[in-house]
Amino acid sequence: MNSRPATVSVPRADPALRAVRGLAGAYLALSVLTLGAIFLLRDDPAMVTDVVWVRATIVAASALLTFLFARSAANGSKRGLLRLRIVSAVMTVAIVVIVSIPGFLPLWVRLEQGVCGVLLLAVVVLVNGRHVRSLFAG
């Protein structure tokens, strides 16, 4: 049996957790807007390929999970924080790899993915930093 609590009391106004929620929200918003743009550009094969559809759908799903995990962590969930740490790190690495493959994605999607990567990298830095880890140490 685990005697450690699954949640901790974290300050609602903690700047790091507020920033993480904002970054995750921006990642989600950008991902949803990208899906909308893909839908609007669907008849242009130079701008939207099958790979773009698949990649954008995966990114939007991961963005939703990232946002939900960020909200859970901000409410003091240790599991939420662990999940956020994992998904944000995995997606950041995946974005770096995918964007670095020449010709794999159209330039506009590579740029969008680059912005997503920067947002997620900031999340990774914050949730793995000393301050956030200390909030959940109890």
Side-chain angles (χ1 to χ4, degrees):
M1 292 201 180
N2 189 357
S3 62
R4 300 178 80 187
T7 60
V8 295
S9 178
V10 295
R12 294 280 305 156
D14 184 81
L17 294 176
R18 194 171 52 237
V20 166
R21 283 192 315 261
L23 291 162
Y27 174 45
L28 177 58
L30 181 56
S31 299
V32 170
L33 288 172
T34 300
L35 273 177
I38 289 168
F39 178 77
L40 293 174
L41 298 169
R42 69 188 177 277
D43 294 326
D44 185 345
M47 298 289 276
V48 177
T49 63
D50 289 342
V51 170
V52 169
W53 274 108
V54 171
R55 179 71 189 148
T57 303
I58 291 168
V59 170
S62 80
L64 177 59
L65 288 174
T66 302
F67 179 76
L68 294 173
F69 296 155
R71 190 175 67 186
S72 177
N75 288 330
S77 169
K78 289 182 176 186
R79 278 191 173 156
L81 178 64
L82 176 61
R83 290 173 178 153
L84 177 61
R85 291 174 72 187
I86 292 168
V87 78
S88 62
V90 167
M91 286 305 296
T92 300
V93 170
I95 287 170
V96 168
V97 169
I98 298 266
V99 168
S100 67
I101 300 172
F104 187 66
L105 296 170
L107 178 61
W108 76 274
V109 178
R110 290 168 62 131
L111 293 172
E112 178 269 344
Q113 286 290 281
V115 173
C116 286
V118 169
L119 293 169
L120 282 176
L121 180 59
V123 170
V124 169
V125 168
L126 287 169
V127 298
N128 289 291
R130 184 179 306 146
H131 174 70
V132 170
R133 285 183 302 147
S134 72
L135 292 174
F136 288 84

